[in-house]
Amino acid sequence: MEYNDQIRNRLKRIEGQLKGVIRMIDEEKDCKDVITQLSASRSAIDRTIGLIVSTNLVHCMSDERQLQDKDRETLIKEAVDLLVKSR
């Protein structure tokens, strides 16, 4: 699978969020604020995982070679399993 600029940009933004959390910890910011930022980072990671899985599923469904090896139902099940595993 090819990863596009949208996915790379999301990951760079998440990287920035996590660096911000580290800075907050170094500055001994309030626990509530740190947890809020960590939750935002986790949500962004979850959305990115969903984007990658859905993009991959669309790619696999349109790839005739993939469909010859596996049926659509199996591909969808694999995608759902990836999402469940990520949690």
Side-chain angles (χ1 to χ4, degrees):
M1 178 177 155
E2 292 182 28
Y3 298 96
N4 62 25
D5 288 341
Q6 180 186 20
I7 292 171
R8 289 185 203 304
N9 290 340
R10 283 175 178 257
L11 292 173
K12 287 177 184 177
R13 202 172 11 222
I14 293 166
E15 178 183 32
Q17 285 178 310
L18 292 174
K19 286 180 180 178
V21 171
I22 292 169
R23 190 170 39 257
M24 291 174 73
I25 290 170
D26 290 343
E27 295 170 358
E28 299 181 0
K29 297 290 183 179
D30 185 63
C31 170
K32 182 179 176 183
D33 296 332
V34 171
I35 297 303
T36 298
Q37 288 306 309
L38 282 172
S39 294
S41 299
R42 181 172 52 194
S43 294
I45 289 169
D46 288 342
R47 287 191 306 274
T48 304
I49 289 170
L51 178 62
I52 290 171
V53 170
S54 66
T55 301
N56 186 55
L57 179 60
V58 168
H59 174 76
C60 288
M61 295 290 246
S62 63
D63 185 353
E64 291 299 322
R65 290 170 295 169
Q66 285 278 354
L67 289 176
Q68 289 173 2
D69 295 337
K70 300 176 183 178
D71 62 24
R72 291 179 188 270
E73 196 170 310
T74 301
L75 290 172
I76 292 170
K77 183 182 179 322
E78 288 176 358
V80 170
D81 287 346
L82 277 174
L83 289 173
V84 170
K85 184 191 241 185
S86 72
R87 288 306 296 159

